Amino acid sequence: MSGRPETLFPLFAGLETLEGVGPKTARLLEQLDITSPRDLLFSLPYAVVDRRRRETIQGADLPQTLTVEVTVGAHRPPRNRGGAYRIHVEDSQADFQLVYFHARSDYLAKLLPVGARRVVSGKLELFDGMAQMVHPDHALPVDEADDIPEFEPVYHLTQGVSQKVMFKAIQGALTRVPDLAEWIDPTQVLKENWPDWADAMRTAHHPEAMDDLSPNAPARARLAYDELMAHQLTLALARLRERKARGMVSIGSGWLRGKVLEALPYRPTGAQLRAMEEIAADMASEARMNRLLQGDVGSGKTLVAFFALLVAVEAGGQGVMMAPTEILARQHMEGLHPLAEEAGVVLEILTGRDKGAERRAKLAALAAGKIQILVGTHAVFQSDVEFSDLRLAIIDEQHRFGVRQRMELSDKGVAADVLVMTATPIPRSLSLAQYGDMDVSVLDEKPPGRKPIRTAIIGTDRMDEVIDHLRRAVAEGRQCYWVCPLVEESEVVDLTSAEDRFKRLRAVLGDGVVGLVHGQMPGAEKDAAMAAFQSGETSVLVATTVIEVGVNVPNATIMVIERAETFGLAQLHQLRGRVGRGEGASTCLLMYQAPLSEGGRRRLEVLRETEDGFRIAETDLEMRGAGDLIGTAQSGLPRFRIADLERQANLMAIAQSDARALLDKDPALTSDRGKAARVLLWLMKQDQAIRLISVG
């Protein structure tokens, strides 16, 4: 796969090779991320203006854009500087005015000579009972009027680039569109009635009605699919490489898992058992496991993860579980400890805090294979950490752990199987975009014994009632989280800071009852406050969102979220999941400040109606869009120019199976369709994929 195919050269030439694009325009277009004719083609119009010619403006609904042939009448220059220059014009049945500001009269006299016939096109509006067109978009002699397109596409612009310049540049780029061989499965093309790539490109840039701009219009859907397909091909190639990199075969005897199952007070859910089987089968195969374990808050991921670690131990090896923060690593340690006791396996923790002799002793035990399961932070990947026989790496809750990091893990010579766990339910289309190279196990049932959480929506004007309710609960020995919007840094002064709330609750509930945790505190203080709450020493923990992920206090049964309307849906769902972990019935109070926006109200209502994280995530995606949902900057989520993940989620799934099927039949992409797919990868600038083919 040497270099870019020749057919694509014209599309990747400099912008200045296009007619009407000089160095200045080229520099301005760079601000829109447009550096070649190819990028212009992928900047589709977002609107269309109907400029079909009419006989007269008579009877038109104003304001609207109209195109009509007129006779030019009298010119009325402005009386004072900066005033309006007016020109009277008449069509076959009615008259109106053309209005210009800051225009030179000699220029207008030449453009619109009195008595001449002209075709004008622009937005006509009523002003003081008179129809007027301010700065027409076009004013041309009748014999040149064919230059005005009947339907004019409207493009996103940047300062200094006009619609006219953009339109012309794109028309130029369209003359370079080559005919390319088809890379999409022919049955898919037939079923959807999609045009080929070149036709789709031409059609998308010549919309004739608003419907042509819809993501479902055949030309647009096809171009979106091309983007998704290229992305999924890249992920599938990465997956192929990962699977080819021989993994370790870890076949467990099952006896450790049997001991733990017997000791469990309940039976695992069907979803848990299914996931355990899928993982064990992956670990037993020669290909390297690359699986995502996706489970909502409280769906029992820890048990599934522990069973995977036990397979590694039963097979005579070691397993490691990595968490993003020290607090979470300690929590995993606490969660796994009783299970490890039942199984009789050696479990240790390694974090940045381990220093000196203690650290050296742990490293020696690890290298000798005496520690069977290690829990830790990223510290477990430092160069002096050596395992005796590492077979499984579990990575917890990492949006920040993208394809690239997973590859680095394998570059460490760790042929270990990899399981990534996430507690954030991700809608299917997004999980395919982000984790498309992985196989996915979903935990979508709640284990027995988890009670539903009652969720109520309350205005901040009822604060006194809430505090009163809290006082009674604390007297009964219950614990409560009180989540505030972010601390003082926020410019918005009216967001109550955690400090103030802490003081007010302490005044009402008494000293030593209320703890405080926020992002500005030093780590040790934060840990101390968390520990005091976990041990039940304090009954109320006032916190900013640092408690979102993973903190486990079974006795906490009340969650108050202040100014809930300022949080995202997924965040609210994660916060609510901090309660309802013990015996007691739990409540979540969402406090909002009136008036609520439409979106704010809908978010709170969705939470009140359901505890299903996947349903919540789908709603979140509809409401916010994909980029916001995971914070595009740090999510490793690709940025698509045409595809719309919210509205075209179904296409992503088809693209994934199509890409995998193509590579199953033709892993080196040497068949006709394979070669076409290579061209697609070049066209979509998927350099990473192209490298993978050339190495593979």
Side-chain angles (χ1 to χ4, degrees):
M1 182 110 189
S2 43
R4 181 182 292 140
E6 235 162 277
T7 39
L8 298 181
F9 286 180
L11 294 184
F12 283 89
L15 284 173
E16 294 168 45
T17 57
L18 293 169
E19 203 187 328
V21 179
K24 185 169 165 243
T25 307
R27 272 201 307 280
L28 292 167
L29 285 171
E30 270 182 28
Q31 297 173 353
L32 291 171
D33 259 356
I34 294 174
T35 57
S36 65
R38 174 250 176 231
D39 298 338
L40 279 169
L41 294 176
F42 282 89
S43 311
L44 298 188
Y46 66 90
V48 58
V49 180
D50 182 346
R51 292 199 192 273
R52 283 176 296 183
R53 206 177 299 182
R54 303 169 61 109
E55 273 299 293
T56 172
I57 65 162
Q58 193 74 42
D61 277 338
L62 302 189
Q64 72 162 299
T65 298
L66 298 175
T67 308
V68 60
E69 189 177 322
V70 296
T71 304
V72 181
H75 284 230
R76 294 217 322 266
R79 276 192 287 258
N80 47 10
R81 266 189 60 186
Y85 188 114
R86 297 174 187 277
I87 303 173
H88 192 85
V89 295
E90 284 179 30
D91 66 23
S92 58
Q93 296 175 32
D95 60 340
F96 57 100
Q97 288 180 346
L98 305 181
V99 181
Y100 289 89
F101 293 95
H102 310 295
R104 296 193 318 278
S105 41
D106 51 348
Y107 164 75
L108 288 174
K110 210 158 60 207
L111 183 73
L112 295 152
V114 177
R117 303 284 291 159
R118 289 286 183 267
V119 174
V120 293
S121 181
K123 190 172 181 188
L124 192 72
E125 10 196 11
L126 276 179
F127 187 73
D128 281 346
M130 182 65 189
Q132 59 177 35
M133 190 180 281
V134 179
H135 288 276
D137 304 314
H138 303 275
L140 296 169
V142 181
D143 55 354
E144 291 172 27
D146 286 348
D147 287 359
I148 303 175
E150 288 207 325
F151 295 95
E152 187 174 34
V154 183
Y155 294 99
H156 289 291
L157 301 175
T158 180
Q159 192 87 46
V161 177
S162 65
Q163 284 296 344
K164 218 175 255 171
V165 168
M166 190 74 166
F167 179 74
K168 190 163 180 196
I170 286 177
Q171 294 306 312
L174 283 168
T175 61
R176 301 192 178 179
V177 165
D179 283 320
L180 301 175
E182 186 56 86
W183 46 75
I184 302 177
D185 181 2
T187 50
Q188 172 71 11
V189 176
L190 275 171
K191 183 176 146 243
E192 301 288 348
N193 198 8
W194 282 343
D196 67 27
W197 182 78
D199 283 343
M201 226 0 130
R202 287 189 279 265
T203 307
H205 284 287
H206 293 112
E208 299 202 344
M210 283 311 283
D211 284 355
D212 293 346
L213 301 169
S214 130
N216 305 327
R220 289 239 170 177
R222 189 235 140 95
L223 294 171
Y225 186 81
D226 292 337
E227 261 189 315
L228 301 176
M229 170 106 183
H231 171 63
Q232 286 298 335
L233 265 172
T234 304
L235 290 173
L237 282 160
R239 174 171 180 262
L240 207 65
R241 183 190 117 163
E242 294 271 292
R243 295 183 82 82
K244 250 196 333 217
R246 286 190 47 156
M248 302 177 158
V249 175
S250 301
I251 301 174
S253 56
W255 75 281
L256 293 176
R257 284 169 290 171
K259 288 205 310 204
V260 176
L261 270 177
E262 261 171 53
L264 285 177
Y266 53 85
R267 189 176 154 63
T269 64
Q272 281 176 314
L273 292 168
R274 235 187 349 268
M276 287 170 183
E277 273 164 30
E278 289 166 346
I279 292 165
D282 274 3
M283 291 177 71
S285 87
E286 288 195 350
R288 191 158 169 219
M289 171 163 79
N290 193 15
R291 187 171 281 280
L292 176 70
L293 176 62
Q294 201 184 358
D296 201 353
V297 186
S299 57
K301 285 187 300 297
T302 309
L303 186 67
V304 176
F306 186 66
F307 268 61
L309 291 163
L310 287 183
V311 174
V313 176
E314 287 172 359
Q318 296 165 298
V320 63
M321 184 156 179
M322 284 168 51
T325 63
E326 179 124 2
I327 283 189
L328 281 178
R330 296 200 175 283
Q331 199 148 320
H332 279 312
M333 183 71 187
E334 282 161 31
L336 295 177
H337 197 257
L339 297 169
E341 299 251 284
E342 289 300 339
V345 298
V346 183
L347 174 73
E348 249 318 335
I349 184 166
L350 182 69
T351 68
R353 283 197 194 169
D354 291 304
K355 300 274 190 298
E358 192 181 342
R359 180 177 164 97
R360 282 196 299 278
K362 282 186 184 174
L363 294 183
L366 201 60
K370 294 202 174 90
I371 295 173
Q372 294 163 299
I373 296 176
L374 183 68
V375 174
T377 53
H378 282 96
V380 303
F381 276 141
Q382 285 161 358
S383 51
D384 60 344
V385 180
E386 281 178 27
F387 292 86
S388 141
D389 178 10
L390 178 62
R391 287 165 177 262
L392 171 68
I394 299 184
I395 296 144
D396 179 30
E397 188 54 274
Q398 295 281 20
H399 282 318
R400 293 167 282 293
F401 206 87
V403 178
R404 199 164 297 125
Q405 285 89 337
R406 297 201 285 275
M407 286 188 159
E408 272 169 22
L409 188 65
S410 47
D411 294 344
K412 269 193 115 55
V414 182
D417 288 322
V418 176
L419 181 67
V420 175
M421 299 202 311
T422 169
T424 317
I426 305 170
R428 182 163 157 78
S429 58
L430 283 190
S431 73
L432 288 176
Q434 212 182 348
Y435 299 109
D437 61 319
M438 305 184 79
D439 301 300
V440 183
S441 296
V442 177
L443 298 180
D444 48 10
E445 303 168 41
K446 285 236 193 291
R450 294 274 315 206
K451 297 196 175 63
I453 300 168
R454 199 176 74 84
T455 302
I457 302 174
I458 296 179
T460 38
D461 50 348
R462 293 171 58 192
M463 180 75 74
D464 292 337
E465 281 176 57
V466 173
I467 293 179
D468 218 38
H469 173 74
L470 203 60
R471 186 174 25 208
R472 288 198 298 276
V474 167
E476 291 164 15
R478 291 161 66 187
Q479 285 179 281
C480 161
Y481 291 101
W482 188 297
V483 177
C484 296
L486 283 175
V487 183
E488 288 133 7
E489 312 160 276
S490 122
E491 293 83 323
V492 191
V493 183
D494 71 343
L495 289 190
T496 328
S497 74
E499 299 275 351
D500 292 349
R501 180 59 58 234
F502 168 66
K503 287 179 191 141
R504 178 165 171 195
L505 290 174
R506 195 176 54 186
V508 177
L509 302 170
D511 275 349
V513 178
V514 188
L516 173 66
V517 178
H518 61 70
Q520 309 325 102
M521 289 162 80
E525 273 183 49
K526 226 186 274 185
D527 288 353
M530 294 293 298
F533 186 63
Q534 268 169 325
S535 67
E537 195 183 315
T538 53
S539 302
V540 178
L541 184 63
V542 175
T544 52
T545 51
V546 291
I547 61 165
E548 249 173 282
V549 185
V551 183
N552 199 4
V553 181
N555 189 42
T557 54
I558 302 172
M559 168 66 70
V560 179
I561 303 174
E562 209 172 324
R563 296 299 306 268
E565 77 279 9
T566 63
F567 292 95
L569 251 178
Q571 221 181 3
L572 289 169
H573 177 62
Q574 287 288 337
L575 285 167
R576 173 172 64 182
R578 298 297 108 221
V579 295
R581 296 175 159 247
E583 299 301 299
S586 295
T587 321
C588 174
L589 301 179
L590 303 172
M591 297 186 73
Y592 67 90
Q593 187 160 321
L596 269 180
S597 70
E598 186 48 40
R601 205 196 73 228
R602 195 171 149 206
R603 283 204 299 274
L604 299 185
E605 283 173 355
V606 169
L607 279 160
R608 183 172 60 194
E609 282 155 29
T610 179
E611 276 190 69
D612 175 349
F614 287 93
R615 229 193 90 195
I616 288 171
E618 295 288 350
T619 311
D620 207 5
L621 177 61
E622 277 164 39
M623 289 178 68
R624 282 204 295 165
D628 283 351
L629 197 63
I630 329 194
T632 311
Q634 46 101 16
S635 66
L637 194 68
R639 304 214 359 229
F640 297 117
R641 287 207 169 210
I642 297 176
D644 172 338
L645 282 181
E646 292 84 276
R647 308 238 266 314
Q648 296 174 313
N650 60 323
L651 287 182
M652 182 62 104
I654 300 167
Q656 186 193 48
S657 59
D658 195 6
R660 286 187 176 187
L662 173 59
L663 284 175
D664 279 346
K665 282 207 284 283
D666 178 15
L669 296 181
T670 47
S671 65
D672 287 347
R673 200 178 143 214
K675 287 184 187 132
R678 287 173 174 239
V679 173
L680 167 70
L681 291 171
W682 280 108
L683 178 66
M684 295 301 183
K685 303 184 182 174
Q686 293 287 346
D687 307 3
Q688 192 187 359
I690 290 159
R691 280 202 308 277
L692 284 173
I693 304 177
S694 40
V695 218

